[in-house]
Amino acid sequence: GDSVTQMEGPVTLSEEAFLTINCTYTATGYPSLFWYVQYPGEGLQLLLKATKADDKGSNKGFEATYRKETTSFHLEKGSVQVSDSAVYFCALINSGGYQKVTFGTGTKLQVIP
Amino acid sequence: DSGVTQTPKHLITATGQRVTLRCSPRSGDLSVYWYQQSLDQGLQFLIHYYNGEERAKGNILERFSAQQFPDLHSELNLSSLELGDSALYFCASSVGQGKFTEAFFGQGTRLTVV
């Protein structure tokens, strides 16, 4: 079945540091890939998405590129802020199925001033 | 504000009891999804309803059931509760089936079973 593997957290960075959160996936067909973010005390929000190979999703300074050859969708940001502290979830939906989203386990990011 | 409303926000109950969690989707959204988020198992898909009909089940226990009503709100019923059922339960809604674009999540109901 489909699966998503994320790097384990927590990840602790100083403000303005470079962020990478690794995400790899296993799926048949051609899945769409997503990053969701969960701020403390809130539900999940879509951060960015990519629907085909080599697409780059971007939002709020975050980027991720759909790499079919390495089955990866790593999240990056050039300069993190304290307000980026949250849990980040990588997710996919397989084009062959209906709309069940498979989530990774989440990576907690803590940014310190 | 995502537009998805979940009630109650917090629930504390004893083992063996039954509870009902409620979700009101965004206006116009026909699909409702339920997820369970626990510390040891991450985010688990439970069930999906579309326009009143069950469309898919994930890792949902037989003690759990759900339904979506004609006004599109949904309820998740959890019975014979066990300590391990303590978790955050999220509801999400989206416009409908077809190419998945975005699901909007509620703030969740935190269930504590004591």
Side-chain angles (χ1 to χ4, degrees):
Chain A
D2 298 343
S3 67
V4 175
T5 302
Q6 289 181 236
M7 62 187 290
E8 287 203 16
V11 173
T12 302
L13 295 174
S14 297
E15 209 166 19
E16 299 183 2
F18 184 86
L19 168 71
T20 299
I21 300 178
N22 290 337
C23 169
T24 57
Y25 67 89
T26 302
T28 55
Y30 303 94
S32 294
L33 302 174
F34 306 86
W35 278 100
Y36 277 82
V37 59
Q38 184 181 24
Y39 297 105
E42 297 185 11
L44 279 71
Q45 305 172 26
L46 181 67
L47 181 60
L48 53 84
K49 65 182 180 183
T51 57
K52 61 182 188 298
D54 300 325
D55 268 3
K56 178 186 283 188
S58 61
N59 186 26
K60 299 181 181 179
F62 291 89
E63 293 183 340
T65 301
Y66 188 143
R67 301 286 188 202
K68 195 170 190 310
E69 63 277 13
T70 54
T71 62
S72 65
F73 193 55
H74 305 322
L75 182 68
E76 297 181 335
K77 187 174 185 183
S79 175
V80 294
Q81 305 299 314
V82 172
S83 58
D84 294 327
S85 298
V87 181
Y88 293 82
F89 291 88
C90 186
L92 71 82
I93 177 164
N94 199 310
S95 60
Y98 92 104
Q99 288 182 9
K100 181 176 80 74
V101 185
T102 300
F103 284 93
T105 52
T107 302
K108 184 174 183 178
L109 170 66
Q110 183 176 11
V111 180
I112 53 178
Chain B
D1 183 3
S2 67
V4 179
T5 304
Q6 288 188 248
T7 56
K9 285 190 169 47
H10 303 276
L11 198 49
I12 301 175
T13 190
T15 54
Q17 295 298 305
R18 172 190 168 93
V19 297
T20 297
L21 313 183
R22 181 187 170 103
C23 170
S24 295
R26 289 190 327 148
S27 177
D29 285 357
L30 299 178
S31 275
V32 170
Y33 312 81
W34 286 97
Y35 291 87
Q36 179 192 57
Q37 185 179 35
S38 55
L39 280 175
D40 58 346
Q41 291 195 340
L43 203 59
Q44 299 285 323
F45 167 71
L46 295 179
I47 199 164
H48 170 215
Y49 277 84
Y50 174 76
N51 202 22
E53 292 189 8
E54 180 185 305
R55 298 315 301 247
K57 276 185 174 179
N59 302 319
I60 187 167
L61 301 172
E62 286 191 10
R63 300 183 285 109
F64 296 1
S65 65
Q67 53 184 327
Q68 186 179 27
F69 295 87
D71 67 353
L72 300 177
H73 91 271
S74 178
E75 293 182 355
L76 179 67
N77 301 297
L78 315 176
S79 61
S80 303
L81 285 167
E82 302 174 358
L83 295 177
D85 297 326
S86 297
L88 257 176
Y89 291 84
F90 284 108
C91 162
S93 74
S94 68
V95 172
Q97 291 187 298
K99 189 70 174 177
F100 185 92
T101 54
E102 180 174 356
F104 294 85
F105 282 79
Q107 293 201 347
T109 294
R110 182 172 292 283
L111 173 66
T112 303
V113 182
V114 297

